[in-house]
Amino acid sequence: MFVVMSVSDFPAWEPGEAVELDEQNRGYRSRTPRARWCEVAAVSVAAVADRPGPWTFEQWDAFGRNAGLRRHPLMWFDSLFMWPICVIDGAWVNGRHRARLLERAGARKVAVEDPDDLPEWVAGESAQS
């Protein structure tokens, strides 16, 4: 299940973390311009508005294709399903690199994993912590 999160509500970056993520993301930025990252975020928000879930990968991918996403933008949209951005109690669990790309692009909102409906791999990790 997904919820919509404001990019401004992402956890704060640790000192030096934003610079490090920007350096690591250089290749992704060159293949997908900022405007396309904003489009990916907007389509993810539209998907959640249509239905928070549950989604199959095929349904999620079809939603992105029907919204006009192709090539790299579709791949990044699909990544939000396969490896969702996840924030629990103000801390990153998954998706920091993509979150930083979306933030740098100027996206305002994006679909993220619903912290009240965690996938098994997250719930198992949280129980071990």
Side-chain angles (χ1 to χ4, degrees):
M1 297 282 278
F2 293 98
V3 295
V4 173
M5 183 177 199
S6 174
V7 172
S8 65
D9 289 337
F10 284 166
W13 303 109
E14 296 292 326
E17 183 179 24
V19 173
E20 177 186 340
L21 290 170
D22 288 343
E23 182 64 30
Q24 292 171 358
N25 283 339
R26 186 179 303 184
Y28 301 120
R29 288 195 323 264
S30 63
R31 291 191 298 262
T32 308
R34 288 181 178 201
R36 299 299 281 175
W37 279 106
C38 287
E39 184 179 10
V40 166
V43 172
S44 77
V45 169
V48 174
D50 185 63
R51 184 181 75 193
W55 291 83
T56 65
F57 175 77
E58 291 75 19
Q59 293 167 332
W60 185 263
D61 182 73
F63 193 96
R65 287 178 188 278
N66 290 337
L69 298 179
R70 301 287 183 270
R71 300 178 38 87
H72 287 108
L74 180 62
M75 181 174 71
W76 299 127
F77 175 76
D78 287 345
S79 80
L80 294 173
F81 176 86
M82 295 183 295
W83 307 285
I85 294 172
C86 186
V87 175
I88 300 174
D89 296 329
W92 291 107
V93 175
N94 196 45
R96 291 178 328 137
H97 285 85
R98 285 166 296 139
R100 180 65 182 158
L101 287 163
L102 291 160
E103 181 181 69
R104 285 189 94 243
R108 295 185 191 275
K109 296 180 179 183
V110 66
V112 300
E113 187 71 47
D114 183 348
D116 293 327
D117 186 34
L118 298 176
E120 189 174 306
W121 67 270
V122 173
E125 248 180 46
S126 296
Q128 294 174 7
S129 298

